[in-house]
Amino acid sequence: LSAVGDCAGILICSILGTTWYDTTKELFPASNIVLTKDQGESIQNLIDGKCNVIQGEQYEAPEVVVRGFGYDGPYGQGKTSFTKDPLAMVTRDGDPEFAALVEWVLQTLMLAEKQNITMMTADTFAESVEFFGKDMFQNALAAVGNYGEMYTRHLAPISPRLEINDINDGETTGLLYSHPLGKVDTVGPGPINGGVIERILQRGFLRCGIPGATQDATSDMIKRVELDMEFCRALSASVFQRTPDNVSFQSYSDDDDIYLALENGDIDVYAGGEVDVGSDFLLPGLSFSNPYFHEGGKAFALVTQEADEQWADFVYWVTMATIYAEENGITQNTSNEMPLVNLFGTGLERLLRDAILAVGNFDEMYRRVFGQNAT
């Protein structure tokens, strides 16, 4: 991108305070940017000739929306994305039960589409357990339908559904997706008194629970546990500042035993917990990282106690860092390109860099465990 040649007269309406503006000011000089307060002002400026380019999410800048404001000039929409702003529902810290309810209602909407269960057949969806009421999932679907029905009803007329918003079919769409890190310069509290991070630091090592080998364990299952262990080493490096081996691995042959160990505080994290709609209800009080391995319709993640939100967030972002690093071409040798973050206090500002320095990005971890030619 440049503002020379055919683009010398480009005037981009950009909304101050957005990631769109943050990216635009890195690509174009200030003389090519017209600041606005919202999208309505940007479109009005386009109509008035004050700018000749506007920005927006897929659903905010399609031609049908711009025409609806009264613009009647030539219009085309680019296909290259320059920012990454996934939408989510947000709840307050301090009420993990409600946060879990919100998360699993969202998962229900997507799982129902995958299973071809619609608003009209909501009563065929699996019942939840008594933790939130047996009909919770079914009631949600009966009210709004599955994710595809919602998208068709609200967004399809203005914004065709892209692959990134499709339900994964196990073949054509990927499942590893890093979330934007956001405002990493925000200074958060250090390890909370009596919290898991403080206890790990005082103890001098991380206690990581992993699945034990069983008689019917395949070589791929054993390899997956090795990947689980890599993530625990990344956590160790993040907590203990570039020291990946301050880990005590504790093996359990039964899921019930490992979850009990987590509940009792015998381990700090369970590496390799299976993520599904039932697990979080049958075992309330758990927090799952973003899944990092998918196989045979199953997803595996790091699991912590939900009660310690700081530790759960820490584990989540260390896991996410490996995927973020791969997406951004950051490797073990270039780990200093990872941002410094102060969200867990200034003493842990290198946590993302130290994780990647210790184990590399996700691709490096994957190939180290499964082989250089693994796919």
Side-chain angles (χ1 to χ4, degrees):
L1 290 177
S2 67
V4 299
D6 292 339
C7 293
I10 192 171
L11 290 173
I12 306 167
C13 273
S14 189
I15 304 172
L16 186 64
T18 64
T19 55
W20 315 339
Y21 171 67
D22 292 340
T23 300
T24 303
K25 69 181 182 180
E26 296 295 324
L27 298 172
F28 293 95
S31 58
N32 294 102
I33 302 174
V34 179
L35 293 178
T36 62
K37 66 179 183 298
D38 55 37
Q39 190 71 331
E41 184 181 359
S42 291
I43 297 176
Q44 188 59 52
N45 281 354
L46 181 68
I47 295 171
D48 296 339
K50 296 178 181 179
C51 61
N52 46 35
V53 174
I54 63 171
Q55 303 168 319
E57 303 295 337
Q58 177 194 356
Y59 58 88
E60 288 183 310
E63 184 171 357
V64 64
V65 170
V66 177
R67 299 293 183 199
F69 275 79
Y71 177 72
D72 59 3
Y75 192 80
Q77 189 171 5
K79 295 183 179 180
T80 301
S81 297
F82 295 96
T83 60
K84 187 177 183 182
D85 297 289
L87 303 182
M89 299 189 74
V90 183
T91 59
R92 292 175 62 91
D93 277 345
D95 191 343
E97 182 175 287
F98 180 65
L101 184 149
V102 171
E103 167 66 15
W104 287 112
V105 167
L106 289 174
Q107 294 296 330
T108 293
L109 302 177
M110 291 180 273
L111 181 60
E113 181 180 3
K114 183 177 181 179
Q115 296 178 347
N116 200 30
I117 297 174
T118 67
M119 182 187 296
M120 300 302 296
T121 59
D123 60 347
T124 65
F125 194 79
E127 291 183 345
S128 58
V129 298
E130 294 293 344
F131 188 53
F132 286 128
K134 292 179 64 176
D135 300 328
M136 184 193 77
F137 295 152
Q138 297 175 358
N139 290 340
L141 287 171
V144 299
N146 64 40
Y147 180 84
E149 289 177 291
M150 294 168 65
Y151 195 100
T152 298
R153 188 164 60 245
H154 297 290
L155 288 177
I158 63 171
S159 181
R161 191 172 175 184
L162 301 179
E163 184 180 72
I164 195 170
N165 290 317
D166 278 341
I167 301 299
N168 181 268
D169 61 7
E171 297 179 1
T172 59
T173 54
L175 286 168
L176 298 182
Y177 178 87
S178 75
H179 295 162
L181 299 180
K183 295 185 179 298
V184 295
D185 56 345
T186 301
V187 179
I192 59 176
N193 292 332
V196 175
I197 297 177
E198 183 182 72
R199 295 202 300 270
I200 294 171
L201 288 167
Q202 291 175 347
R203 187 191 311 130
F205 61 91
L206 170 77
R207 295 182 302 196
C208 176
I210 56 174
T214 59
Q215 289 184 339
D216 58 350
T218 65
S219 60
D220 284 347
M221 292 170 62
I222 294 171
K223 287 291 185 183
R224 202 215 74 219
V225 173
E226 292 179 18
L227 183 64
D228 299 335
M229 296 169 70
E230 288 282 289
F231 278 97
C232 287
R233 293 189 181 98
L235 287 174
S236 171
S238 295
V239 173
F240 293 106
Q241 301 179 9
R242 288 167 280 180
T243 307
D245 296 322
N246 285 7
V247 187
S248 171
F249 291 105
Q250 302 179 32
S251 180
Y252 297 84
S253 58
D254 186 270
D255 271 352
D256 289 341
D257 291 339
I258 200 167
Y259 281 119
L260 182 61
L262 186 62
E263 180 182 348
N264 292 338
D266 297 328
I267 57 176
D268 305 306
V269 61
Y270 170 20
E274 185 177 339
V275 183
D276 60 58
V277 172
S279 62
D280 205 27
F281 290 106
L282 296 173
L283 295 164
L286 302 178
S287 181
F288 292 83
S289 74
N290 200 61
Y292 54 77
F293 190 81
H294 299 262
E295 182 180 47
K298 297 180 179 180
F300 300 90
L302 299 182
V303 190
T304 59
Q305 288 195 59
E306 202 170 44
D308 192 325
E309 294 168 346
Q310 184 185 58
W311 174 236
D313 288 344
F314 189 97
V315 169
Y316 183 92
W317 285 111
V318 170
T319 306
M320 191 63 69
T322 65
I323 304 169
Y324 174 92
E326 181 180 350
E327 282 191 6
N328 289 276
I330 301 172
T331 67
Q332 197 166 20
N333 291 331
T334 60
S335 58
N336 273 346
E337 294 180 18
M338 292 292 289
L340 296 173
V341 298
N342 292 306
L343 300 178
F344 301 96
T346 55
L348 293 170
E349 68 175 1
R350 288 186 53 92
L351 72 96
L352 302 184
R353 292 185 179 182
D354 289 343
I356 303 307
L357 177 64
V359 300
N361 63 37
F362 184 84
D363 183 66
E364 290 176 296
M365 298 166 66
Y366 192 91
R367 295 185 186 280
R368 187 164 56 246
V369 170
F370 292 100
Q372 289 301 313
N373 297 321
T375 58

